[in-house]
Amino acid sequence: MLLAMLPAQAAAAIDKVLVHKAERRLEVISAGQAIKQYRISLGRQPVGHKQQQGDQRTPEGIYSIDWRHESPQFNLSLHLDYPNLKDRTAAYEQGVDPGGMIMIHGTPVDEEYPEWFFKGLDWTNGCIALNNADMRALWELVPDGTLVEIVP
């Protein structure tokens, strides 16, 4: 079902964002149904859960969007509340820093590396990246506080 076909009240009722890492797909879920889906890029080491700062992995688990930011480096960004308690506990037990600043973001606005350069690459440091047009659509669709589930 397309978002444009939903009543205005249903359009605002986003249940969650679901990220399928292996399929490089992000879905926007409303009333239990995927209403939008986007192709994504992940961290340079995409397999497995983020363990520590600098491992270039995208975390797996349940998070939420806690703030948003506009910048030339990554265009639009939705920040995830990583690390959660489970992540902090695991990092503490391993004696490592869990890292942070995990975002869903666009591609850099950079003449040297145009947007097409990033298509099909896992190029982030652990974030989830979309092309800028898709990121703008997601930014407008998904409010702060939205649950984000990241699965392998």
Side-chain angles (χ1 to χ4, degrees):
M1 177 180 276
L2 296 176
L3 182 61
M5 299 171 68
L6 294 173
Q9 294 166 333
I14 303 301
D15 300 332
K16 71 177 173 179
V17 170
L18 178 59
V19 175
H20 300 272
K21 287 174 57 174
E23 293 148 20
R24 305 302 189 271
R25 185 177 77 235
L26 180 150
E27 297 176 338
V28 178
I29 309 294
S30 178
Q33 299 291 319
I35 59 168
K36 292 295 249 181
Q37 57 182 337
Y38 303 100
R39 174 89 169 97
I40 60 170
S41 296
L42 300 171
R44 290 183 185 101
Q45 301 295 323
V47 178
H49 176 59
K50 183 165 193 61
Q51 300 291 316
Q52 66 184 43
Q53 184 172 352
D55 67 8
Q56 299 185 338
R57 289 192 172 130
T58 302
E60 297 169 359
I62 305 230
Y63 305 95
S64 66
I65 298 168
D66 57 358
W67 52 270
R68 55 188 61 218
H69 180 67
E70 295 183 54
S71 74
Q73 187 175 9
F74 297 114
N75 197 358
L76 302 174
S77 303
L78 301 172
H79 184 264
L80 302 184
D81 64 348
Y82 172 88
N84 61 24
L85 181 59
K86 183 178 176 183
D87 299 318
R88 287 191 305 272
T89 301
Y92 175 79
E93 289 172 353
Q94 295 173 26
V96 297
D97 180 344
M101 290 302 287
I102 299 297
M103 314 276 260
I104 301 172
H105 61 69
T107 59
V109 179
D110 185 338
E111 291 178 17
E112 197 170 327
Y113 295 100
E115 188 171 37
W116 58 261
F117 177 83
F118 299 97
K119 187 175 183 174
L121 295 177
D122 286 324
W123 58 272
T124 76
N125 288 326
C127 294
I128 299 160
L130 292 80
N131 71 44
N132 290 329
D134 289 348
M135 187 62 220
R136 170 63 64 187
L138 186 67
W139 173 279
E140 293 173 0
L141 184 61
V142 178
D144 289 355
T146 299
L147 183 77
V148 177
E149 182 177 3
I150 305 170
V151 297

